[in-house]
Amino acid sequence: MRSHRRTPSRKAAWRAFSAAVLAGVLALTACGNDSPAASWNDGKNGGGGQQQEDSGPKQGATVTSPAADAKDVPASTAIAFTMDNASNPTVELKSAGGEAVEGTMQEDGKSWLPSGALEYGTAYTVTINATGSDGKPTTSTSSFTTMAKPSKVVRVSSFLGDGQVVGVGMPLIVRFGREVPQDYRDDVQRRLFVQSTPQQEGIWHWTSPTEVHYRPKTYWQAGTKISYKLQTGGLPMGDGYYGRADVNVDVKIGPSFVMSVDNKTKKMTVTKDGKVIKTIPVSLGKKSTPSASGTMVIIEKQRKTVFDTMDDPNPANRYRTPIDYAQRLTWSGQFIHAAPWSEGVQGRTNVSHGCVNVSMAMGAWLFGQTRIGDVITVKNTEEKLQNGNGWTDWNMSWEQYVKGSAIPYNG
């Protein structure tokens, strides 16, 4: 990846308000709806600044970011402020035309985030009302103007579309249209919000400069409702690029459906909502093309397809075969699928090219039960699953996974 740099002054200006916005790793708010498709979102006074009486100790709020009368403010800006001898702050943000902007006070109690990107090239006024230590109300105001609409934007997209129902192992997957520089990823991550009902601890993990995943500490609870918001519209992303838009997605977790395959017994045990409902004979990869041991999730499902390896450099591995009930597990080509040609040895001998072979009847049954994001663990084979070969979020321990966060984990 090429190096990305910015001047210290630019970095300092951005950090001044970005660091004050959200301090936690876990994001707990999301709302709204953007796209239904699965696709690839200094404290100063005067001149519009603070208005305070000079008598007695100072009481009230001081807006620290954006600076009073600031120009070219990113449309993603948050409102950061300090409090002096006052409490119970409320924030109002209005455009020059008097239109109110919705937003939320952040957990630190010292910053307020608009519910979405502000309009470009627009003047805004912040009003903070609070209660002074003497019990009297205080009011302070500050104004700023957002930047013109940028010409260099980054598309931010969610793999999952609105309303999808997925398995308990499904990671939330966000992709960026260009690489996010290392020193901007924490700023971006602070604008990725996840809310689950029931609430479950989770974290974002960068799998590459263009992709970040979110998973809970343990599998999602069956029936969980998830809303996540990518509040990236107008967000600086390095080299003069800004996020193109905000994205909002609502999804639901289906029943818990977990498959476990043991090479020693050559059987698959299927558990649904904690109860074993089926034991299925399987044939795994033969020694020359072993199946990978590890925890994977179903990436895609194809009722009918053709496996074509005619470009394999090893003639022994070349074949072109019609396949029924194929469920992809890895990018390298390991699937669960029906294999009527191996039904005679399933449960006894491994003959596949790395896939999990089941009978035609069991292939059809599994295909009708599973969802994208359902979990399968394979164990006791000759090869270990390589992280990144599929959605391998669950192939890492929680301690390993949090290391992929751009924000230090304090759980």
Side-chain angles (χ1 to χ4, degrees):
M1 185 182 84
R2 65 178 182 273
S3 175
H4 300 270
R5 299 176 63 88
R6 54 181 166 174
T7 64
S9 59
R10 177 70 172 180
K11 180 74 174 179
W14 171 244
R15 294 289 188 191
F17 71 84
S18 177
V21 179
L22 296 172
V25 173
L26 306 180
L28 300 176
T29 61
C31 61
N33 174 35
D34 183 66
S35 172
S39 66
W40 308 107
N41 137 9
D42 304 301
K44 296 180 181 179
N45 290 330
Q50 302 299 126
Q51 297 176 356
Q52 295 286 344
E53 296 182 3
D54 292 333
S55 59
K58 182 179 179 180
Q59 299 186 63
T62 302
V63 175
T64 57
S65 181
D69 300 318
K71 309 294 183 183
D72 297 323
V73 174
S76 62
T77 192
I79 308 301
F81 57 90
T82 59
M83 298 286 288
D84 294 293
N85 302 307
S87 60
N88 303 319
T90 61
V91 178
E92 296 178 357
L93 180 63
K94 291 184 178 181
S95 68
E99 296 178 351
V101 177
E102 294 184 358
T104 305
M105 187 73 73
Q106 300 305 290
E107 290 185 352
D108 61 6
K110 300 177 182 178
S111 57
W112 183 91
L113 185 65
S115 60
L118 301 178
E119 297 293 329
Y120 289 109
T122 301
Y124 288 91
T125 297
V126 183
T127 301
I128 303 182
N129 297 300
T131 302
S133 58
D134 58 4
K136 295 181 180 180
T138 69
T139 299
S140 58
T141 63
S142 183
S143 298
F144 64 91
T145 303
T146 55
M147 63 184 291
K149 186 175 182 178
S151 59
K152 298 163 67 175
V153 294
V154 179
R155 185 184 185 192
V156 183
S157 53
S158 164
F159 174 81
L160 293 177
D162 224 22
Q164 281 190 254
V165 180
V166 294
V168 296
M170 185 69 210
L172 310 181
I173 301 174
V174 176
R175 294 176 178 169
F176 303 90
R178 76 184 295 272
E179 293 185 356
V180 178
Q182 183 76 44
D183 60 348
Y184 279 82
R185 293 179 199 169
D186 57 342
D187 299 335
V188 171
Q189 191 173 318
R190 287 186 175 93
R191 295 302 179 90
L192 308 180
F193 301 95
V194 179
Q195 182 178 44
S196 64
T197 306
Q199 185 174 321
Q200 291 152 76
E201 180 180 5
I203 198 169
W204 292 98
H205 173 101
W206 290 82
T207 62
S208 77
T210 59
E211 187 166 311
V212 63
H213 291 195
Y214 182 99
R215 57 154 271 202
K217 191 171 185 178
T218 58
Y219 296 148
W220 295 107
Q221 295 180 38
T224 297
K225 295 180 179 180
I226 304 169
S227 294
Y228 58 104
K229 181 175 186 177
L230 319 177
Q231 196 164 336
T232 50
L235 185 67
M237 291 190 180
D239 301 329
Y241 281 86
Y242 295 81
R244 188 171 74 175
D246 296 341
V247 179
N248 301 273
V249 182
D250 294 319
V251 297
K252 185 177 179 180
I253 303 300
S256 174
F257 192 89
V258 178
M259 296 159 281
S260 179
V261 176
D262 190 341
N263 187 39
K264 288 184 178 180
T265 62
K266 295 179 175 53
K267 287 182 173 58
M268 173 192 288
T269 301
V270 180
T271 303
K272 186 172 184 178
D273 291 330
K275 296 181 179 180
V276 175
I277 61 171
K278 190 83 72 175
T279 300
I280 302 172
V282 301
S283 180
L284 300 176
K286 56 185 182 289
K287 287 188 177 181
S288 61
T289 54
S291 300
S293 286
T295 300
M296 299 156 272
V297 299
I298 296 173
I299 298 171
E300 64 176 345
K301 299 174 63 173
Q302 296 176 293
R303 170 60 183 84
K304 288 184 177 291
T305 189
V306 174
F307 288 178
D308 189 338
T309 63
M310 297 305 290
D311 59 352
D312 194 293
N314 184 349
N317 293 332
R318 295 174 188 167
Y319 59 91
R320 185 182 290 115
T321 306
I323 299 293
D324 290 289
Y325 306 113
Q327 305 192 61
R328 180 183 286 275
L329 305 177
T330 70
W331 304 127
S332 62
Q334 296 186 37
F335 289 74
I336 306 167
H337 67 82
W341 56 86
S342 70
E343 288 187 14
V345 298
Q346 289 170 13
R348 296 187 291 110
T349 307
N350 291 336
V351 298
S352 85
H353 291 82
C355 292
V356 179
N357 284 185
V358 297
S359 68
M360 185 66 80
M362 288 298 95
W365 181 81
L366 281 169
F367 198 87
Q369 294 284 323
T370 59
R371 291 178 169 84
I372 301 299
D374 279 336
V375 180
I376 178 170
T377 297
V378 177
K379 61 182 181 180
N380 295 319
T381 65
E382 300 87 346
E383 185 175 279
K384 289 186 178 180
L385 177 67
Q386 297 298 307
N387 288 330
N389 186 13
W391 296 337
T392 53
D393 303 75
W394 298 101
N395 200 51
M396 289 176 266
S397 67
W398 179 248
E399 290 71 25
Q400 292 173 312
Y401 199 77
V402 298
K403 293 179 181 178
S405 171
I407 302 172
Y409 174 64
N410 297 317

